[in-house]
């Protein structure tokens, strides 16, 4: 599953440069040229990382960063701030506001890519693991095999990708739309009820012979893989 990165930058040539280079690295890239537009986008779906310019029309990067940190869904969202040279005091303020890292313009693209990789690794070590494990469920990405309590679980390709997506982010609640974007891709149209069908199949396969259900249905919100299931309260 490729990491999704939102680039918030009002200088169009820089946005395009970043979009091109991030896509070439295999990331899924979204862009916004205004702070208020980015704020709206981030309320609808949470990417894996945000590259956020300091000076933006609509809403400043610093204010957006502050708002993101105030919301539970984006409290730990990795943020790299872009600042102009000579904004020393502002840089310090940027980190104080909750950005994870900052980089000074003009910067080299390889350096930004290295910072992004480091931050993603730190934020989500599961992303790079070849075997994911949550509770008694194991997913081996190299062998493309899933087991529960050591017994193989048969899953169709879509159910496998769905489980992989949820296991990379245990505990996090995803809307049907976010699951569609993350598992099926954002450029194809599929009815959101399709998600329910595949979650149902995945659940049935995982739970065959077991009584505790690791998949949590959050009424009115979506689904999550329970990161506490199987643990004593
Ligand atoms: Ca700017």
């Amino acid at each position: 599953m490729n990491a999704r990165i939102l680039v918030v930058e009002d200088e169009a040539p820089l946005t395009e440069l970043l979009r091109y280079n991030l896509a070439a690295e295999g990331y899924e890239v979204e862009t916004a040229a205004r702070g208020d537009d980015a704020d709206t986008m981030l309320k609808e779906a949470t990417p894996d990382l945000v590259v956020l310019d300091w000076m933006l029309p609509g809403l400043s990067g610093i204010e957006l960063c502050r708002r993101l940190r105030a919301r539970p869904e984006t409290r730990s969202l990795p943020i790299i701030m872009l600042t102009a040279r000579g904004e020393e005091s502002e840089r310090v303020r940027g980190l104080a506001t909750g950005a994870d890292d900052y980089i000074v313009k003009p910067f080299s693209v390889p350096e930004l890519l290295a910072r992004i990789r480091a931050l993603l690794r730190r934020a989500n070590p599961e992303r790079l693991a070849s075997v994911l494990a949550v509770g008694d469920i194991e997913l081996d990405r190299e062998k493309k095999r899933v087991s529960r309590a050591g017994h193989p679980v048969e899953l169709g390709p879509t159910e496998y990708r769905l489980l992989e997506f949820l296991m990379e982010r245990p505990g996090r609640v995803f809307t049907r739309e976010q699951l569609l974007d993350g598992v099926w891709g954002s450029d194809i149209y599929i009815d959101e009820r399709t998600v329910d069908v595949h979650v149902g199949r995945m659940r049935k396969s995982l739970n065959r012979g077991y009584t505790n259900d690791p998949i949590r249905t959050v009424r009115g919100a979506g689904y999550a893989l329970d990161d506490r299931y199987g643990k004593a309260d």
Side-chain angles (χ1 to χ4, degrees):
M1 205 60 57
N2 297 334
R4 296 169 60 204
I5 297 182
L6 174 65
V7 175
V8 191
E9 167 62 62
D10 59 325
E11 291 167 49
L14 180 54
T15 307
E16 279 320 300
L17 178 75
L18 293 180
R19 184 204 288 281
Y20 176 83
N21 282 284
L22 290 169
E25 286 282 297
Y27 298 116
E28 276 185 48
V29 188
E30 286 179 282
T31 63
R34 296 176 54 92
D36 45 0
D37 290 347
D39 195 28
T40 306
M41 287 166 81
L42 286 160
K43 279 177 189 155
E44 283 163 10
T46 309
D48 294 291
L49 183 143
V50 179
V51 176
L52 182 58
D53 187 30
W54 177 277
M55 297 292 281
L56 290 167
L59 183 69
S60 74
I62 199 97
E63 173 60 15
L64 180 55
C65 192
R66 201 187 58 73
R67 288 189 190 184
L68 292 173
R69 288 298 179 247
R71 288 202 287 269
E73 313 81 64
T74 50
R75 185 156 292 148
S76 58
L77 172 65
I79 299 173
I80 298 183
M81 205 96 184
L82 305 179
T83 72
R85 195 171 287 283
E87 291 175 336
E88 290 291 339
S89 59
E90 294 201 333
R91 267 193 259 158
V92 173
R93 202 149 64 93
L95 289 181
T97 310
D100 297 275
D101 200 356
Y102 66 88
I103 194 161
V104 181
K105 292 180 183 177
F107 53 84
S108 81
V109 171
E111 192 190 346
L112 178 65
L113 293 176
R115 302 272 193 102
I116 287 173
R117 274 195 299 274
L119 198 47
L120 283 174
R121 202 159 40 229
R122 216 163 46 179
N124 192 359
E126 292 293 319
R127 182 175 297 288
L128 299 169
S130 62
V131 177
L132 301 177
V134 177
D136 57 0
I137 300 171
E138 267 192 19
L139 183 147
D140 186 323
R141 288 163 144 160
E142 275 156 32
K143 297 181 183 141
K144 301 264 179 225
R145 282 198 190 134
V146 176
S147 63
R148 183 163 181 188
H151 302 289
V153 174
E154 298 301 326
L155 293 175
T158 304
E159 287 73 33
Y160 175 90
R161 287 205 307 278
L162 194 54
L163 181 64
E164 183 183 23
F165 185 85
L166 292 172
M167 286 183 80
E168 282 176 345
R169 305 148 177 94
R172 210 166 116 184
V173 179
F174 291 96
T175 64
R176 289 167 178 80
E177 195 186 349
Q178 285 174 324
L179 290 172
L180 275 179
D181 280 358
V183 177
W184 282 264
S186 51
D187 44 358
I188 46 170
Y189 178 78
I190 299 174
D191 196 290
E192 290 189 2
R193 275 169 299 184
T194 306
V195 175
D196 298 330
V197 172
H198 287 281
V199 169
R201 281 188 201 151
M202 177 180 71
R203 196 174 232 159
K204 202 170 154 195
S205 301
L206 278 176
N207 292 345
R208 196 162 284 145
Y210 298 91
T211 49
N212 58 342
D213 183 359
I215 308 298
R216 198 153 59 91
T217 304
V218 183
R219 200 175 288 275
Y223 297 102
L225 179 67
D226 197 345
D227 56 348
R228 287 193 48 79
Y229 99 92
K231 292 178 188 161
D233 284 317

